[in-house]
Amino acid sequence: MKAAERVTAISEFIARTVEQQPEAVSWQGDQVVLPELSDYRDMLVEGLDECEDEAAAHRLVRRLRQQWYASLAAADLLEQIALKDMLAHISATADAFIEQSLAWLYPRLCARFGTPRDGENNALPLLVIGMGKLGGGELNFSSDIDLIFCYPEQGETDHARKPIENSVFFTRLAQALVTMLDQTTGDGRVFRVDLRLRPFGQSGPVVASLSALEYYYQEQGRDWERYAMVKARIIGAGDNYQQELSALLRPFVYRRYIDFSAIDALRKMKSLITQEARRKGVERNIKLGAGGIREIEFIAQAFQLIRGGQQRQLQTQSIYKAYAAIAELGILTQQTVDELLDCYAKLRRMEHVLQQLNDEQTQTLPDDEQRQQRISLAYQQPWSDIENMIRCTMNCVHGHFKQVIGDPDAEDEEAGELQLLWQDMIEDDTAVDVLIDVGLGKATAQLVWQQVNQLRKDVRKRGSGPRGRKAMARLVPLLLERIVQFADSDSVLERVLHVLRKIMTRTAYVELLVENSGAREQLIKLCRASSWLTQQIALYPLLLDELIDPQHLYQLPQLTEYPQLLDEFMLRLPEQEIDLEAQMDALRQARQVLQLKVAAADISGALPLMKVSDHLSYLAEAIIAKVVRLAWFQLVEKHGVPPQRDADNMGFAVLAYGKLGGLELGYGSDLDLVFIADSDYEGETGGTKPIEVQQFYLRLAQRILHLFTTRTVIGTLYEVDMRLRPSGKAGLLVTRFDTFASYLAEDAWTWELQALVRARPVFGSPELCQKLVDLRRQRLGAHRDSTALKQQVIEMREKMRDHLEARVEAQEFDVKQGAGGITDLEFLVQYLVLRFAPDYPDLAVYTDNIRIIEQAGHFGLLTELQTEQLISAYIAERQVIHQLALDDRGNVTRQDLAEHRHAVITAWQAWLGD
């Protein structure tokens, strides 16, 4: 078989190219005629000079690429060119394509946007840094090219009318270069261009200044980037720029001392590569597999990173020069170096043959017989002999690798293959496969990977230095390992990562979660149980401290212990820091921590819903008392006390309405409050700066609201709603007791009396609180027209429903405002109290719905069955509302509440129907 026939039988790529360009490969007999290394540049210069537009330039570079590579493949397959020469030719073509494409594009962009200049008016070039095998001058046949773009300094172009910043000009130039090389047209493409090695990876700017590059590697550079930068080489620019780049990178890549930490870093990287190689379809990979090309590169680069700072001859991009220096310095014996380079030659030759079959970037030995036969034709050996040779070669390499690098240690295996997901260069398909392998369905795996990938980008932009990034690199795989076990793993991960985004710049919290598996477990548990809790932890990361000791977290105080616990939080303040802001923060922190304990007990099932509300209500009452006293003492210090008043008898009370009044407070509930004063407004306070008594109580109310609602770094204490006070928003912040009593008797609307059903005093002297209790019972027990009452309750309910009911689809129900929902039941209860309290005064004793329903049953207003059904409906619907609140999902549910709704609607029709 003639040489030309042999190479076309082996390589579809050569056959295809020769068919399109019959003169693509030049022959002298059976010898392929190759250009000299310098000819590639000259041919490109000559060809591009004749190109008037981009289409012509694109066509030229692609046709030349096919022509040159067909010739190189033919020579290589016929073993007419040594490996070192082959690598030099391929790298020379890449350099020529990059340099001359840039030289063709640069003046065309300058004509449009002006020439980029420095402070001394010198024209500036785009600097193209070749990485990986391109940087080392050892590019493989079908390789992509790893590039980083930068420019010498900031400034702007010299365009007469519309100059642009240098950064904008060079970004456009870089994008044009990538298009010229990477865009697939009818003529193919020149190279796949990979820009992911640039600072901040895919999320970083395409082009950076040299000073930005230097700052990045000093402040943010990671271990794998040290490894990558060993190969960095500027293509086509003057030697001065290469020297500047080397000087800039040298302190980052090469330490002045012998740096054995590089071994750990490389071992970690190799562990991840090994895990990748174990993946389905990659075990036959001669690059990534055990004993593959990557291990030979790792051995050289390990010694370059460890000793390169002291031994300058190790500072080289070339693997051949690096191994020569390693032998010369006696780091490895000459025999070991010769063995490794011999293995390197065998594996690189096989790599080229694999890629030359069809110009594909592959390093995997084929399974199909057809390609095995074509490789046998190239080697002129049986496939079994070739496969055995490769196996022996890789075993030899791996033996040397284990001696130098060692085996991955236990920590590297900490989260198994999931560590791969935190590696910058991982492909999307590989990441999804990793997740599928740990048990996720494809759709879920894709969602999880999107979230992890986005977090990686966020960490790069907003991380907290090397220590914080290393902690995140350990934490995320550990969390993933646990989260992927859940059926709802994508939503759980979304919540947990929401917390991580809030703490990723606070290394102490990240490290807390890395080092404490119990805290990690509690974080996942709480986030999974509740979207609302997730938000709380994200807003207030100090809550993470509470997760360290789960036993303490789930230990709930007695209801009566909350005032004492608040005092303990206040006592923790150092004396020199006891100012108003510190006290406000201490109260906010206390509320968040104590509320977290309630929520933890709640989601663990240890606390029924009514007890949850009791705890939240008692906590709120304790905080109200603390806030009122703080406000009182601040005011008294400045103005003195009103006549005949003191801290135990302030003449001031807080009346709670709504959920707090009904002992049904939820996690995110605001406080419906009314402030009552029971003092003579005549006269002044008795301090050095006296003010009128009425003014004193008004300022007291304002100060209380300030303490509650001012947003500090720890948020607000509670939102407070004062609209239920007499005359609503138009009324005074503080109402005198007598005014309040006459308002309820003479001016209150029916809806205000409905609200009074759930009102109770939560702060004040025992005497004043009892007066308020008596006043409430008296007003609720007043006789009223039953027909008018019924009409007014129905009208108010319809008005509220029209205004507030959510739009729902089929199978959905607004638990709060829908027919047969919570609000219908509350209105029914309020109607029964207002209608029958004159006959049954004990109906007005309680403020919570369940005990009022029990009383209504006791007095025969409801049958025993109705009582049970309404209590059951109320608890069930409140449970649903409570769970919706934990999940931040409004009031609409798809749960089947038909039985409970029917009970409420039936009772409503009985009492308030037509």
Side-chain angles (χ1 to χ4, degrees):
M1 186 184 291
K2 289 184 178 180
E5 292 173 359
R6 185 174 151 213
V7 295
T8 53
I10 296 168
S11 170
E12 292 177 41
F13 163 65
I14 296 175
R16 190 168 59 245
T17 304
V18 170
E19 186 180 342
Q20 293 166 350
Q21 301 183 59
E23 305 302 319
V25 182
S26 299
W27 298 90
Q28 278 187 351
D30 280 347
Q31 285 291 122
V32 178
V33 179
L34 292 177
E36 296 296 324
L37 291 178
S38 59
D39 290 347
Y40 296 117
R41 179 182 178 280
D42 295 341
M43 283 188 270
L44 267 170
V45 170
E46 185 181 335
L48 285 170
D49 277 348
E50 297 176 8
C51 294
E52 296 294 330
D53 55 33
E54 281 190 10
H58 283 205
R59 189 160 47 251
L60 174 85
V61 293
R62 281 154 181 74
R63 290 178 69 80
L64 283 177
R65 191 268 181 195
Q66 307 299 69
Q67 178 185 320
W68 293 344
Y69 276 48
S71 297
L72 286 166
D76 197 26
L77 288 169
L78 295 169
E79 297 186 80
Q80 294 175 3
I81 184 171
L83 175 65
K84 270 191 184 180
D85 293 334
M86 181 68 174
L87 299 178
H89 272 267
I90 297 171
S91 300
T93 65
D95 284 6
F97 279 123
I98 292 167
E99 286 177 43
Q100 297 315 310
S101 298
L102 202 53
W104 188 85
L105 289 165
Y106 185 84
R108 284 161 173 78
L109 261 76
C110 289
R112 287 179 62 196
F113 303 113
T115 302
R117 300 199 177 270
D118 62 14
E120 296 175 1
N121 208 35
N122 298 309
L124 297 176
L126 176 67
L127 303 177
V128 182
I129 304 172
M131 304 291 290
K133 289 189 171 68
L134 174 60
E138 295 143 6
L139 204 61
N140 63 45
F141 185 79
S142 294
S143 179
D144 55 8
I145 54 174
D146 296 298
L147 302 180
I148 295 176
F149 296 120
C150 61
Y151 56 96
E153 62 182 78
Q154 301 281 10
E156 61 178 26
T157 63
D158 61 4
H159 194 280
R161 287 181 296 106
K162 288 185 178 179
I164 60 173
E165 291 183 3
N166 287 350
S167 60
V168 176
F169 177 91
F170 287 120
T171 298
R172 290 181 175 174
L173 180 56
Q175 289 166 338
L177 177 62
V178 170
T179 301
M180 190 153 174
L181 298 178
D182 195 337
Q183 189 176 68
T184 301
T185 71
D187 298 301
R189 66 174 158 196
V190 186
F191 294 108
R192 287 174 300 275
V193 179
D194 192 336
L195 303 181
R196 290 177 299 167
L197 291 177
R198 69 186 187 267
F200 300 109
Q202 287 169 301
S203 59
V206 172
V207 184
S209 67
L210 277 173
S211 59
L213 217 61
E214 181 175 25
Y215 177 80
Y216 171 83
Y217 290 117
Q218 283 178 354
E219 297 298 320
Q220 301 228 23
R222 291 159 299 166
D223 290 326
W224 73 263
E225 286 173 310
R226 282 186 66 198
Y227 165 85
M229 283 298 157
V230 167
K231 296 283 193 183
R233 172 176 68 90
I234 288 187
I235 295 168
D239 289 344
N240 58 318
Y241 286 120
Q242 180 62 49
Q243 289 163 8
E244 188 175 350
L245 178 70
S246 298
L248 176 158
L249 292 173
R250 191 173 292 119
F252 168 60
V253 179
Y254 300 109
R255 306 294 193 248
R256 284 177 294 179
Y257 48 85
I258 294 179
D259 180 20
F260 286 106
S261 71
I263 281 279
D264 285 334
L266 285 164
R267 186 184 297 131
K268 179 85 170 177
M269 288 168 65
K270 178 55 189 168
S271 166
L272 294 164
I273 290 165
T274 302
Q275 289 172 10
E276 173 66 0
R278 287 184 198 139
R279 305 200 48 69
K280 184 180 177 183
V282 189
E283 58 271 5
R284 292 167 63 80
N285 191 301
I286 62 167
K287 178 181 178 181
L288 301 180
I293 296 165
R294 182 60 61 83
E295 289 192 355
I296 302 173
E297 295 168 341
F298 262 55
I299 292 169
Q301 284 167 308
F303 291 124
Q304 287 182 279
L305 292 178
I306 293 165
R307 299 177 183 273
Q310 292 193 324
Q311 309 289 349
R312 281 293 183 96
Q313 58 266 58
L314 286 166
Q315 295 183 17
T316 175
Q317 293 99 346
S318 164
I319 194 169
Y320 292 107
K321 289 179 182 176
Y323 269 114
I326 287 166
E328 181 190 327
L329 293 165
I331 297 169
L332 294 176
T333 66
Q334 187 65 53
Q335 180 184 350
T336 299
V337 167
D338 289 344
E339 276 185 22
L340 284 167
L341 288 177
D342 180 59
C343 293
Y344 184 71
K346 289 175 180 173
L347 294 174
R348 288 302 302 269
R349 163 136 168 80
M350 174 54 81
E351 180 182 43
H352 281 173
V353 172
L354 288 169
Q355 295 179 353
Q356 287 158 0
L357 295 182
N358 199 24
D359 194 16
E360 293 172 335
Q361 188 183 18
T362 178
Q363 287 96 7
T364 302
L365 296 176
D367 292 321
D368 63 290
E369 191 176 337
Q370 185 189 29
R371 282 190 296 164
Q372 289 174 356
Q373 286 175 352
R374 286 159 62 198
I375 293 170
S376 291
L377 183 58
Y379 274 85
Q380 295 191 307
Q381 292 179 38
W383 172 252
S384 57
D385 291 354
I386 298 169
E387 199 169 28
N388 188 52
M389 179 269 293
I390 293 295
R391 189 182 302 113
C392 292
T393 301
M394 293 177 75
N395 286 341
C396 176
V397 171
H398 194 56
H400 288 301
F401 178 82
K402 285 198 291 188
Q403 285 187 326
V404 174
I405 303 290
D407 282 323
D409 58 27
E411 186 181 296
D412 292 338
E413 301 291 346
E414 203 167 31
E417 290 194 350
L418 291 169
Q419 286 183 90
L420 285 170
L421 302 187
W422 204 250
Q423 300 313 299
D424 289 327
M425 305 305 292
I426 188 169
E427 297 289 339
D428 290 344
D429 290 347
T430 301
V432 171
D433 285 346
V434 168
L435 290 164
I436 290 171
D437 282 358
V438 296
L440 297 184
K442 186 171 182 180
T444 304
Q446 288 170 332
L447 288 171
V448 167
W449 168 235
Q450 284 171 12
Q451 293 181 50
V452 174
N453 196 22
Q454 187 57 51
L455 180 69
R456 285 169 54 233
K457 294 174 184 175
D458 294 343
V459 169
R460 296 309 312 279
K461 290 177 182 174
R462 294 181 46 234
S464 58
R467 183 176 141 205
R469 287 195 301 275
K470 281 184 179 177
M472 283 291 285
R474 287 184 65 195
L475 175 60
V476 174
L478 290 170
L479 289 169
L480 271 174
E481 188 178 33
R482 184 76 182 90
I483 291 169
V484 294
Q485 298 171 25
F486 300 125
D488 53 346
S489 54
D490 54 332
S491 60
V492 177
L493 181 67
E494 184 177 0
R495 292 177 182 181
V496 171
L497 295 193
H498 178 62
V499 174
L500 290 198
R501 281 189 174 84
K502 296 294 185 180
I503 66 167
M504 65 188 182
T505 57
R506 302 167 77 170
T507 303
Y509 284 128
V510 179
E511 289 179 335
L512 179 154
L513 291 169
V514 169
E515 302 300 335
N516 193 303
S517 60
R520 285 199 304 275
E521 190 64 29
Q522 293 310 314
L523 174 65
I524 293 168
K525 180 179 178 180
L526 296 176
C527 288
R528 187 184 186 206
S530 167
S531 173
W532 176 83
L533 262 177
T534 301
Q535 294 290 347
Q536 292 299 296
I537 297 170
L539 284 170
Y540 314 114
L542 56 88
L543 294 175
L544 290 169
D545 293 331
E546 303 302 313
L547 307 185
I548 296 173
D549 181 1
Q551 194 171 359
H552 174 70
L553 174 65
Y554 292 97
Q555 206 167 33
L556 266 181
Q558 297 296 313
L559 292 174
T560 54
E561 289 176 348
Y562 284 111
Q564 176 192 335
L565 290 171
L566 291 179
D567 287 338
E568 289 173 11
F569 270 91
M570 302 298 274
L571 287 170
R572 291 178 199 170
L573 291 171
E575 261 185 66
Q576 64 272 23
E577 293 180 17
I578 302 182
D579 59 17
L580 177 59
E581 190 170 344
Q583 291 173 321
M584 288 166 71
D585 280 343
L587 277 175
R588 282 155 175 73
Q589 183 176 346
R591 184 206 169 186
Q592 301 301 342
V593 168
L594 294 171
Q595 193 170 249
L596 179 70
K597 291 168 80 71
V598 176
D602 178 8
I603 67 167
S604 69
L607 205 60
L609 173 60
M610 298 307 160
K611 295 292 183 186
V612 170
S613 293
D614 285 347
H615 275 273
L616 295 175
S617 300
Y618 275 74
L619 171 60
E621 286 181 48
I623 289 174
I624 289 168
K626 181 61 70 177
V627 166
V628 174
R629 291 187 181 281
L630 270 177
W632 173 271
F633 286 122
Q634 287 167 19
L635 222 56
V636 165
E637 188 177 8
K638 189 172 182 181
H639 300 295
V641 296
Q644 284 131 34
R645 296 299 180 196
D646 57 40
D648 295 322
N649 184 19
M650 297 179 186
F652 181 85
V654 179
L655 191 62
Y657 281 75
K659 290 179 180 173
L660 178 57
L663 286 163
E664 295 162 359
L665 207 62
Y667 294 111
S669 301
D670 55 10
L671 304 182
D672 294 299
L673 304 180
V674 171
F675 297 144
I676 304 293
D678 190 26
S679 283
D680 186 352
Y681 276 3
E682 296 296 321
E684 295 181 333
T685 58
T688 52
K689 291 183 178 179
I691 55 174
E692 292 179 354
V693 171
Q694 182 175 4
Q695 190 69 14
F696 176 89
Y697 284 112
L698 176 60
R699 290 192 185 179
L700 178 64
Q702 289 169 335
R703 183 58 57 96
I704 290 167
L705 291 175
H706 173 77
L707 291 173
F708 267 120
T709 60
T710 298
R711 186 169 293 281
T712 74
V713 289
I714 308 182
T716 57
L717 194 47
Y718 286 96
E719 294 298 330
V720 177
D721 190 337
M722 299 286 294
R723 288 174 298 175
L724 287 173
R725 67 186 186 269
S727 303
K729 287 182 181 178
L732 295 171
L733 275 182
V734 184
T735 306
R736 286 186 67 192
F737 180 86
D738 293 343
T739 307
F740 185 57
S742 61
Y743 178 85
L744 290 177
E746 298 166 14
D747 299 315
W749 296 83
T750 298
W751 67 264
E752 290 177 293
L753 296 173
Q754 286 179 248
L756 190 66
V757 170
R758 284 155 66 86
R760 65 187 178 92
V762 291
F763 177 84
S765 65
E767 296 78 18
L768 180 51
C769 286
Q770 189 57 51
K771 283 176 71 174
L772 285 167
V773 168
D774 293 344
L775 173 63
R776 171 184 170 275
R777 293 187 65 177
Q778 177 193 340
R779 293 322 313 152
L780 294 178
H783 286 277
R784 45 188 60 87
D785 184 297
S786 59
T787 304
L789 172 66
K790 177 179 175 180
Q791 188 61 33
Q792 288 160 355
V793 169
I794 291 171
E795 286 175 1
M796 188 64 199
R797 180 66 194 103
E798 289 307 316
K799 187 176 179 182
M800 184 182 284
R801 197 191 310 277
D802 291 343
H803 192 59
L804 297 174
E805 187 174 12
R807 289 182 180 177
V808 295
E809 298 174 1
Q811 310 303 315
E812 289 184 335
F813 172 53
D814 183 339
V815 193
K816 198 164 186 181
Q817 298 296 339
I822 287 273
T823 308
D824 277 359
L825 186 44
E826 289 174 342
F827 266 62
L828 174 62
V829 166
Q830 291 157 10
Y831 169 77
L832 291 174
V833 172
L834 293 174
R835 167 84 187 275
F836 294 106
D839 303 320
Y840 308 108
D842 284 355
L843 269 180
V845 170
Y846 300 112
T847 61
D848 61 288
N849 288 302
I850 287 181
R851 285 187 290 186
I852 295 174
I853 293 170
E854 287 174 342
Q855 289 288 79
H858 174 72
F859 293 120
L861 302 174
L862 301 171
T863 67
E864 188 175 338
L865 178 60
Q866 278 181 315
T867 303
E868 286 177 12
Q869 287 177 332
L870 291 180
I871 289 173
S872 176
Y874 187 67
I875 292 173
E877 292 183 347
R878 265 203 66 201
Q879 189 73 53
V880 172
I881 284 275
H882 181 69
Q883 193 55 53
L884 288 169
L886 279 174
D887 285 338
D888 270 338
R889 285 195 290 133
N891 300 319
V892 176
T893 184
R894 285 181 173 271
Q895 283 194 43
D896 183 8
L897 294 169
E899 182 184 340
H900 299 302
R901 292 176 63 190
H902 178 71
V904 176
I905 291 168
T906 301
W908 178 276
Q909 287 299 328
W911 288 106
L912 292 163
D914 295 334

